[in-house]
Amino acid sequence: MMQFELVRYTKDKGPEWDQFVKDAWNGVFLFYRGFMDYHADRFTDHSLMAYSKGKLKAVLPANEKEGVLWSHQGLTYGGWVLGNRFSAIDLQDLFKEMEVYAAGHAIQGVEYKHKPFVFEKHANDADAWVLWNSGYELWRRDLSFYFDLKNHGASPGISAIGLISRAATTCVSIRRGMCINTWNWSTTIW
C-alpha cells in the first residue's frame, strides 16, 4: 500500500507549492516557483508533489533530462522539502515511491542533490541516511563554508561589510553556523 501519491507539478499548483515551501522546516527561497521558473526555458520541469490522505506533505524541485530525474539542475542544491512531523521512515517510503513513480514514467535514473543542513530550521541529514541505506551512489561532494557573523565578528580593521564583500568574491555563503557540504547522489531505476 502506497503512503504517498506523487503528482507532477503544474503551474496551477504554484500557490499551493509556494505556501508549502514557506511553511516547511527545510524550505528556502530557491524553491519558490518564481525563482525556479526563471529557468523554465532551459529545463524540462518535472517537480513532484507528494500527497498523503489529500494533504501536501513534500515537494521535490526537479527537472527531467534524457531519462533522468534531476534534483533541479538550475539550483545550487535541492532535495525533498518536507512538512512538519516527517520521519526518516516516511522519507524512506517517499524515496521508494519516487522510484516506482520514476519507473512508471520512463525515467531510468535519479540524480539527487542533497541540501546542506545549514539552510534548514532544524539540522537534519535524514535524506543522506535514506540515500545511503537505499543503495544510492555518492558521486560528488562539494565543500563549502560560511561565516558566523554573530559569534565571529570582524577582525580588527575589517568590518562585517568587508567580510561579506570578501566572501562574495570567493563564492562563500554567509550564514550563521558551521562548515557545510553539498552531496550529489544517483541511482539507476531500471
Side-chain angles (χ1 to χ4, degrees):
M1 178 174 207
M2 294 184 60
Q3 179 179 349
F4 299 100
E5 175 192 2
L6 296 182
V7 176
R8 186 172 181 173
Y9 168 81
T10 55
K11 287 186 187 272
D12 63 307
K13 294 186 176 290
E16 181 183 20
W17 176 288
D18 284 346
Q19 187 62 51
F20 183 84
V21 169
K22 179 182 176 191
D23 295 340
W25 63 270
N26 66 341
V28 295
F29 79 94
L30 293 175
F31 302 150
Y32 286 117
R33 294 312 309 193
F35 188 88
M36 290 177 50
D37 292 343
Y38 171 78
H39 299 296
D41 61 326
R42 293 179 46 216
F43 300 99
T44 302
D45 190 86
H46 201 130
S47 297
L48 297 175
M49 302 175 79
Y51 293 87
S52 181
K53 298 178 183 170
K55 185 171 181 182
L56 186 58
K57 296 292 187 173
V59 298
L60 177 66
N63 69 283
E64 183 182 346
K65 182 178 179 183
E66 299 172 359
V68 175
L69 183 68
W70 291 83
S71 185
H72 207 291
Q73 290 177 292
L75 301 174
T76 306
Y77 50 82
W80 281 105
V81 179
L82 307 171
N84 294 327
R85 301 184 185 269
F86 208 99
S87 71
I89 299 304
D90 290 339
L91 188 58
Q92 190 166 21
D93 290 344
L94 183 57
F95 270 93
K96 287 176 187 173
E97 291 175 22
M98 177 186 68
E99 292 172 5
V100 170
Y101 172 92
H105 287 83
I107 295 171
Q108 301 166 8
V110 174
E111 298 286 339
Y112 185 89
K113 284 190 266 187
H114 175 79
K115 181 178 357 64
F117 71 87
V118 72
F119 296 112
E120 300 172 353
K121 294 175 187 164
H122 312 288
N124 185 320
D125 265 349
D127 57 350
W129 176 81
V130 168
L131 292 162
W132 169 80
N133 194 46
S134 301
Y136 281 65
E137 176 186 343
L138 177 62
W139 65 271
R140 178 177 169 164
R141 188 171 187 170
D142 299 324
L143 177 63
S144 57
F145 62 95
Y146 60 98
F147 294 103
D148 181 349
L149 294 176
K150 182 176 181 184
N151 293 317
H152 300 287
S155 302
I158 300 177
S159 67
I161 299 293
L163 282 175
I164 292 169
S165 296
R166 186 178 297 170
T169 62
T170 57
C171 299
V172 174
S173 299
I174 311 292
R175 176 121 176 180
R176 187 170 186 270
M178 306 182 318
C179 291
I180 58 175
N181 290 300
T182 301
W183 300 355
N184 295 278
W185 300 81
S186 64
T187 193
T188 301
I189 303 298
W190 54 273

